[in-house]
Amino acid sequence: MAQPLAFILDVPETPGDQGQGPSPYDESEVHDSFQQLIQEQSQCTAQEGLELQQREREVTGSSQQTLWRPEGTQSTATLRILASMPSRTIGRSRGAIISQYYNRTVQLRCRSSRPLLGNFVRSAWPSLRLYDLELDPTALEEEEKQSLLVKELQSLAVAQRDHMLRGMPLSLAEKRSLREKSRTPRGKWRGQPGSGGVCSCCGRLRYACVLALMPWRYALKRIGGQFGSSVLSYFLFLKTLLAFNALLLLLLVAFIMGPQVAFPPALPGPAPVCTGLELLTGAGCFTHTVMYYGHYSNATLNQPCGSPLDGSQCTPRVGGLPYNMPLAYLSTVGVSFFITCITLVYSMAHSFGESYRVGSTSGIHAITVFCSWDYKVTQKRASRLQQDNIRTRLKELLAEWQLRHSPRSVCGRLRQAAVLGLVWLLCLGTALGCAVAVHVFSEFMIQSPEAAGQEAVLLVLPLVVGLLNLGAPYLCRVLAALEPHDSPVLEVYVAICRNLILKLAILGTLCYHWLGRRVGVLQGQCWEDFVGQELYRFLVMDFVLMLLDTLFGELVWRIISEKKLKRRRKPEFDIARNVLELIYGQTLTWLGVLFSPLLPAVQIIKLLLVFYVKKTSLLANCQAPRRPWLASHMSTVFLTLLCFPAFLGAAVFLCYAVWQVKPSSTCGPFRTLDTMYEAGRVWVRHLEAAGPRVSWLPWVHRYLMENTFFVFLVSALLLAVIYLNIQVVRGQRKVICLLKEQISNEGEDKIFLINKLHSIYERKEREERSRVGTTEEAAAPPALLTDEQDA
C-alpha cells in the first residue's frame, strides 16, 4: 500500500484542540466520530472474509502457538481480528485523515468566534460515512472534501494554518499542494464576498516583522547544521545576553540618562580634550558625561542647575518638573535589577521546561528520521542546511546512545576518580594562586605613586587580570587532557565548573579591592567614577584579549597545522571557556550599572562584535567536535550559572554599596547623604510634610519596604511556590512513568489475548477438521474401504 510512512505515527493534538466547546452548529450530527468510522469500516471485513476463506484451507494447524508470530503466518481468524482493529481501519484511509483535520479547523474557527460552514448546505458538509479510498476508487468525493478543507484553512491565521499543515500525516507533495491552494489571493480581505481569508500582504508583513526580530537566523541555522547543538548553544546564549542588556539599557536611558540630558548640570570646570586613549581607559573627556555616576545631579530636576562644589543641596525653581533625581536614580537601578531577575528566572524556567520536558523520551530516533524535515523548505541552500542539521542531530543521538551502553569497569572507575581528584586539586590551586596574584598586584597599584599621575598606567591591572583569565583556562585544559572522561558532556561541565571557580575568585578579590580599599584611599574624591571607569577598562581589555586569543589561538594554529605540520585537523571550539567569558563580561556589566549607567551599551556593542568575530573564526578555523554529543540541557545550565553565581553576586555587591558604603561628598546624586538608601527616607520625609493626601505612601515605605518581616514573608512564599512546582513536576514524572508502564502492560495484554484467541480458533479448526474426517470415513462405500485396507 503506497501510503506515506507518516500515517503510522500518531497525530499530536494541538493545544488549541483541548477544551473546545461545542460548535453552534450541531457537529455531532454533521461529523461522524472515529468510533463510528471503525464500526462502519469493520463491516467491510465481511467482504474481506471471502478472500480470507480461500487462505483458510491452506493454513495447517500447529500445536506451538504461545508466542506472537508475523502477520503472514497467522490464521484466518487472527487476520480477521487484525483487519478490524482501529489502527488498520483508520490508518489506510486518507479521507479519514482529511476529514479529521477538517474538524480541527472547524474547532479553531469556533475558538475565534467565526461562523462555521454557514454558507454551505448540509449535504456539502464533510462526513466520514461510507468513505474509504480502498472501497471507493473514485476521487470525486476526496476532491470535494479537500476543497472544503482548503476553504477552512484559508479562514485561519497564517501561524495556525502552518501549524495545522505541519501536523498532518500526509506526504510532502500533498502538504505543499494544500499550502498553495490555501493561500489567500492578494487584494481580498476577510469578510468580502468570495474572499479566502485575511489579506496575504498583511500576513507577509507580519511574518517579515517576526523575522526582523530574530537576528542572525540564517547564521544560527548554519552553525547548528555544521557544528551541532553544543556549539550552537554558545551563540544562543550570546543572543540571550544581548536581549538582557537591551532591556536594561532601555530602562536606564528612559529614567536616568534621558532626564539628565534634558536638564544638564553645570560642569565644575573646562571640559578636557579627547586624546583617543579614552576609548581604552574610559577616563578623560568621558568623565563628565552621562556615562558615569558623578555627572548626575542631586536635585529635583526642573531647570539647568549647577552642582555646588561645597556639597550643598541645589534648590530648584518652584513650579518646575518634580523629578527627584536621587530617588529616580536609585529606584531605576533597583527596578531594572528586579525586572532583570524576573526575566532571568522566567527564561531559566522556560529553558528548564524545554530541556527537561516532562514525559520526554530518549528514543526519538524515529521522530528525527521521519518528522524532522520542514515541508516549507524549497530552496537549495535552505535544504542543504536542513540536511546538515538532521545529519548532525542523528550523530548526536547515536553518540549518546552508545555512551549509555558502554559502562566502565570498577578498576577503570577507581583510576578515573584518582586522576580527577589530582586534577581538581591542581585546578583549585591555580584559581587560588590567581586570586592571590590579583590581590597583591591591586595593593601594589594602590601604593604606587605613578598610578595617580599617568592615565595609561590604569590599564595595567585590567591587563594582568585579563591575562590570568586567558592563561589559567588553558592550563586547566591541559590538565583536563589527563582525565579519561567517557562523556563529552561531563567533560564540558567539569571545565565550566573549574573556569567558574576561577572567575569567582578573581571577581571576589576585585570587589574587595573596589569597595574595601579604593573607598578608603579615595576619600574626598569621586570614588564611584573610578569604580565605573575601572569596570569599563575591564570590559574593553577583556574584548581586546578575546580578539588576540581568536587570532593566535585559532587562526595561527590552523595555519601552522595545515602549512607546517601537514595536518587536516583544526582546533575545536572551546565551549566552556567561551561561555565563561560571556558570563564574566555580563557580571562586570551588572557590577558597574550603579556607577556607569551607560555600561550596558558598551556591553551590547561588545556582544555584537563578539558574535561576528566568533562566527567568522568558527566557520574558517574550527572543526566540529570529534565526538558528537547532544547539548539538550546546555541552555538551562548556562542560564542557571548566569542567574545564581553571576546575577546574585552582582546584586549582593550593589546592595552592600547602597546600604553600607558612604557615597562621595563631591559628586553624584547622593553626595549629601550617609548612604544611598537614605534617599528613600528623605523622600518619605518630604511626603509626610506635603500633607495628608499622600500619607499612605510613607506608610507603604515604612511597613513594606523597610520592614524585614515582609521581605522574609515574600521570600518564604516564593520558596514555597518553587518547592510546590518542583513537587508537582516530580509527581507528573511519577504518573507518566506509571502510564508508560501501563501502556507497556496493555501491549503485552493484547499480544496475550491474540495468542489465546489464535489457539482457541486453531483448536476449533482441528476439532472441525477431525469431525469432517470422521464423517467422510463413515460415509465412504465399503468396497473403497476394503481396497484401501488391501493396499
Side-chain angles (χ1 to χ4, degrees):
M1 184 169 58
Q3 294 289 339
L5 189 58
F7 280 9
I8 65 174
L9 301 176
D10 293 334
V11 180
E13 186 177 2
T14 58
D17 298 337
Q18 299 175 358
Q20 297 294 331
S23 172
Y25 301 94
D26 192 2
E27 295 185 10
S28 62
E29 298 179 0
V30 180
H31 307 290
D32 293 332
S33 64
F34 281 98
Q35 184 178 2
Q36 294 174 350
L37 175 65
I38 295 171
Q39 295 176 357
E40 292 176 1
Q41 291 190 348
S42 62
Q43 297 175 0
C44 300
T45 57
Q47 300 177 2
E48 298 177 357
L50 298 177
E51 300 177 359
L52 295 176
Q53 287 178 1
Q54 299 177 0
R55 298 184 57 186
E56 183 179 357
R57 302 186 182 92
E58 303 175 0
V59 178
T60 59
S62 177
S63 59
Q64 299 178 353
Q65 285 293 337
T66 58
L67 298 177
W68 173 253
R69 298 187 299 179
E71 183 178 341
T73 61
Q74 301 299 325
S75 64
T76 305
T78 304
L79 293 177
R80 186 181 296 110
I81 294 175
L82 293 177
S84 61
M85 290 178 64
S87 60
R88 302 300 179 89
T89 56
I90 295 180
R92 66 189 179 188
S93 177
R94 193 160 64 96
I97 294 173
I98 294 178
S99 297
Q100 175 194 10
Y101 280 90
Y102 176 82
N103 295 338
R104 290 194 180 185
T105 57
V106 170
Q107 291 178 2
L108 288 176
R109 292 191 64 191
C110 178
R111 184 180 61 180
S112 303
S113 301
R114 301 189 183 104
L116 290 175
L117 301 178
N119 300 327
F120 298 97
V121 295
R122 297 182 66 88
S123 60
W125 289 0
S127 175
L128 301 181
R129 286 193 181 94
L130 302 178
Y131 188 85
D132 194 338
L133 292 181
E134 294 183 354
L135 302 179
D136 188 7
T138 61
L140 182 61
E141 296 181 5
E142 180 184 354
E143 291 179 358
E144 181 183 359
K145 291 189 175 183
Q146 192 174 17
S147 63
L148 293 176
L149 176 61
V150 167
K151 292 180 181 179
E152 291 296 334
L153 287 174
Q154 288 177 347
S155 62
L156 296 177
V158 179
Q160 292 178 343
R161 185 191 311 164
D162 292 341
H163 182 73
M164 182 69 66
L165 287 173
R166 192 179 295 112
M168 287 185 179
L170 300 174
S171 63
L172 296 180
E174 292 170 341
K175 287 182 178 181
R176 289 194 180 99
S177 176
L178 287 175
R179 182 190 176 205
E180 293 295 331
K181 292 179 180 178
S182 60
R183 284 182 176 177
T184 307
R186 296 185 177 182
K188 292 185 179 181
W189 293 85
R190 184 184 301 174
Q192 291 183 356
S195 64
V198 71
C199 181
S200 60
C201 296
C202 298
R204 292 181 180 179
L205 179 60
R206 184 176 62 179
Y207 185 68
C209 294
V210 171
L211 291 183
L213 297 176
M214 298 173 61
W216 315 319
R217 184 169 175 265
Y218 175 76
L220 293 177
K221 283 188 175 183
R222 184 179 180 185
I223 292 171
Q226 294 186 10
F227 298 92
S229 58
S230 57
V231 179
L232 178 63
S233 61
Y234 166 80
F235 291 93
L236 293 177
F237 182 62
L238 189 150
K239 182 180 174 182
T240 303
L241 292 182
L242 189 63
F244 283 141
N245 285 279
L247 176 62
L248 184 61
L249 180 64
L250 179 63
L251 295 174
L252 295 175
V253 169
F255 297 101
I256 295 181
M257 287 177 277
Q260 190 63 68
V261 170
F263 301 95
L267 297 178
V273 180
C274 295
T275 60
L277 191 60
E278 292 84 1
L279 294 176
L280 295 178
T281 62
C285 61
F286 288 169
T287 302
H288 301 289
T289 60
V290 292
M291 187 171 183
Y292 294 114
Y293 164 91
H295 178 75
Y296 293 89
S297 173
N298 64 334
T300 301
L301 302 181
N302 66 339
Q303 63 178 354
C305 177
S307 299
L309 297 178
D310 56 355
S312 61
Q313 179 76 24
C314 177
T315 57
R317 187 173 56 189
V318 179
L321 178 65
Y323 196 82
N324 192 322
M325 193 62 198
L327 183 64
Y329 195 98
L330 183 63
S331 302
T332 303
V333 173
V335 170
S336 61
F337 259 71
F338 179 75
I339 294 177
T340 303
C341 179
I342 296 298
T343 308
L344 188 58
V345 171
Y346 174 79
S347 302
M348 187 172 58
H350 180 72
S351 178
F352 181 85
E354 293 293 331
S355 301
Y356 301 88
R357 187 180 298 277
V358 177
S360 62
T361 59
S362 57
I364 56 176
H365 301 80
I367 298 177
T368 305
V369 172
F370 298 111
C371 303
S372 296
W373 189 262
D374 189 358
Y375 73 95
K376 295 187 293 185
V377 175
T378 56
Q379 299 180 356
K380 184 177 181 180
R381 185 181 183 185
S383 63
R384 189 183 301 112
L385 283 178
Q386 190 83 357
Q387 292 171 4
D388 294 339
N389 201 347
I390 295 175
R391 181 174 62 251
T392 307
R393 174 76 173 176
L394 288 174
K395 289 181 181 179
E396 294 172 349
L397 291 174
L398 292 176
E400 187 180 12
W401 181 82
Q402 292 175 358
L403 182 62
R404 290 197 304 266
H405 292 79
S406 58
R408 183 181 288 270
S409 62
V410 178
C411 296
R413 291 180 182 178
L414 292 176
R415 192 184 308 110
Q416 182 182 11
V419 174
L420 279 175
L422 179 61
V423 174
W424 267 105
L425 288 176
L426 294 176
C427 292
L428 292 177
T430 303
L432 181 61
C434 291
V436 172
V438 171
H439 175 70
V440 172
F441 197 81
S442 62
E443 291 293 331
F444 173 77
M445 292 295 297
I446 291 176
Q447 299 174 3
S448 176
E450 295 87 7
Q454 300 179 4
E455 187 176 351
V457 179
L458 299 175
L459 294 172
V460 177
L461 181 60
L463 178 61
V464 171
V465 174
L467 291 175
L468 291 176
N469 281 326
L470 183 63
Y474 277 107
L475 179 60
C476 294
R477 190 175 182 181
V478 172
L479 295 175
L482 304 175
E483 298 173 334
H485 285 293
D486 295 332
S487 171
V489 182
L490 180 61
E491 183 178 353
V492 172
Y493 286 162
V494 170
I496 287 176
C497 291
R498 291 168 181 169
N499 289 323
L500 180 65
I501 293 174
L502 173 67
K503 305 292 185 183
L504 291 178
I506 293 177
L507 285 174
T509 306
L510 290 175
C511 290
Y512 170 75
H513 165 70
W514 290 324
L515 294 186
R517 296 288 294 157
R518 283 294 180 180
V519 174
V521 172
L522 297 175
Q523 287 293 338
Q525 302 179 24
C526 191
W527 62 268
E528 292 91 349
D529 281 357
F530 179 83
V531 174
Q533 293 171 6
E534 194 90 335
L535 287 163
Y536 173 84
R537 288 190 288 268
F538 273 91
L539 268 180
V540 172
M541 192 57 62
D542 181 66
F543 175 70
V544 171
L545 292 177
M546 185 273 299
L547 292 180
L548 295 177
D549 175 61
T550 304
L551 176 64
F552 293 99
E554 296 177 358
L555 176 60
V556 175
W557 173 252
R558 179 184 67 85
I559 294 176
I560 293 175
S561 178
E562 292 180 354
K563 303 298 182 181
K564 299 296 182 181
L565 302 179
K566 303 299 181 181
R567 296 179 181 176
R568 294 184 178 180
R569 268 183 51 186
K570 297 180 180 180
E572 295 183 10
F573 189 79
D574 193 349
I575 301 173
R577 182 174 56 84
N578 285 281
V579 166
L580 264 298
E581 286 180 358
L582 293 180
I583 296 178
Y584 173 74
Q586 187 60 41
T587 307
L588 292 177
T589 304
W590 283 332
L591 291 174
V593 164
L594 183 64
F595 312 108
S596 178
L598 204 58
L599 206 59
V602 180
Q603 175 70 356
I604 288 175
I605 298 174
K606 175 191 170 184
L607 290 176
L608 291 174
L609 296 176
V610 165
F611 177 85
Y612 289 106
V613 170
K614 288 293 183 181
K615 185 200 74 171
T616 305
S617 176
L618 176 70
L619 297 176
N621 305 323
C622 298
Q623 67 175 6
R626 287 175 293 175
R627 292 192 299 171
W629 50 282
L630 185 62
S632 56
H633 309 322
M634 271 296 182
S635 298
T636 306
V637 174
F638 295 161
L639 289 174
T640 303
L641 294 177
L642 183 67
C643 181
F644 291 107
F647 181 80
L648 184 61
V652 171
F653 174 82
L654 294 183
C655 288
Y656 179 79
V658 169
W659 263 276
Q660 297 296 330
V661 182
K662 180 178 175 57
S664 300
S665 59
T666 59
C667 65
F670 310 104
R671 67 190 68 176
T672 59
L673 305 175
D674 293 332
T675 59
M676 297 182 185
Y677 180 71
E678 196 175 347
R681 298 177 180 176
V682 173
W683 175 67
V684 168
R685 289 196 293 267
H686 285 296
L687 289 178
E688 290 177 349
R693 290 181 301 175
V694 290
S695 59
W696 59 276
L697 288 175
W699 182 89
V700 170
H701 183 272
R702 184 178 301 110
Y703 291 101
L704 296 183
M705 302 295 294
E706 294 185 350
N707 195 355
T708 56
F709 174 77
F710 178 76
V711 176
F712 283 118
L713 179 62
V714 172
S715 303
L717 291 176
L718 180 62
L719 293 176
V721 170
I722 294 175
Y723 176 77
L724 290 176
N725 287 333
I726 293 175
Q727 294 301 320
V728 167
V729 171
R730 290 181 178 177
Q732 290 176 351
R733 291 182 183 276
K734 291 181 180 179
V735 170
I736 288 173
C737 292
L738 293 176
L739 291 176
K740 288 181 180 179
E741 185 178 357
Q742 183 178 355
I743 291 174
S744 177
N745 294 334
E746 288 180 355
E748 295 178 357
D749 292 343
K750 290 178 181 178
I751 295 176
F752 174 78
L753 292 175
I754 290 176
N755 289 330
K756 286 294 183 181
L757 290 173
H758 187 79
S759 61
I760 291 173
Y761 278 110
E762 280 195 343
R763 186 171 62 252
K764 288 183 178 180
E765 290 174 359
R766 287 196 300 268
E767 292 176 357
E768 183 178 358
R769 202 176 289 115
S770 61
R771 185 169 56 254
V772 170
T774 305
T775 305
E776 291 178 354
E777 290 179 359
L784 182 59
L785 292 176
T786 304
D787 295 339
E788 290 179 353
Q789 292 177 358
D790 294 340

